[in-house]
Structure formats: structure tokens, C-alpha cells
Amino acid sequence: MIGAAFNACRHATEGDDMDHIERLEQLILKHKPLGAEDAGIVLFTALGNLRNGGRPDELDVHAVERVIEWIEQQSTPALQATG
């Protein structure tokens, strides 16, 4: 489901319903990663927003925090954040 939302956002054009695109982006940014692919989609979306000055609702920042939490919960020591 998050993959479909991501593809729809990436292929949006000027003529598309921007409210719909905004809802899809919010869905992605509120998503808790279930795997590495999900984490990548969330990070890619958040990074795009952060490069443009960030969202006023800070969903992009919270999305990055959720991905970091997901990484820290992984049992593979190489994936665990340090510090």
C-alpha cells in the first residue's frame, strides 16, 4: 500500500488533484516502516520535503524519527544506530 502511494506521488503532474497528492504524502510520512523498502520510501519522501524547507506540520521530521526508531529496533547490530 505504501508503495502504491509512493508511486502515485512520484508520478504526479501539475494537473493532478493536489489535495489527493497531499493525503498520499501524509500517509507515507505517518507510516511506521515494516521493512527496509518501507523505510527507504519514507526517507525519500521526507528528504524531498526537507530539501524544500520542511513541512510546517513537521511530519517529515517525525517520519525520519520513526525510521530511526525502526532501525534501532532491528536485531542486526550493523543496523542499530549508535550514540
Side-chain angles (χ1 to χ4, degrees):
M1 182 168 100
I2 188 174
F6 178 69
N7 285 331
C9 283
R10 287 194 68 196
H11 296 100
T13 62
E14 264 187 49
D16 290 339
D17 178 3
M18 294 313 290
D19 288 336
H20 179 67
I21 300 303
E22 171 66 14
R23 286 190 300 274
L24 291 172
E25 185 174 280
Q26 288 178 3
L27 176 78
I28 294 167
L29 293 174
K30 291 178 179 179
H31 182 73
K32 182 179 180 183
L34 301 175
E37 184 176 351
D38 282 5
I41 288 171
V42 172
L43 287 176
F44 185 90
T45 303
L47 181 59
N49 283 307
L50 292 168
R51 282 186 173 151
N52 290 316
R55 292 176 56 100
D57 59 10
E58 295 189 345
L59 279 179
D60 43 16
V61 174
H62 297 299
V64 172
E65 291 170 343
R66 266 191 303 287
V67 171
I68 291 170
E69 288 171 8
W70 175 80
I71 291 170
E72 290 175 339
Q73 293 171 358
Q74 302 311 297
S75 60
T76 308
L79 290 178
Q80 293 176 341
T82 59

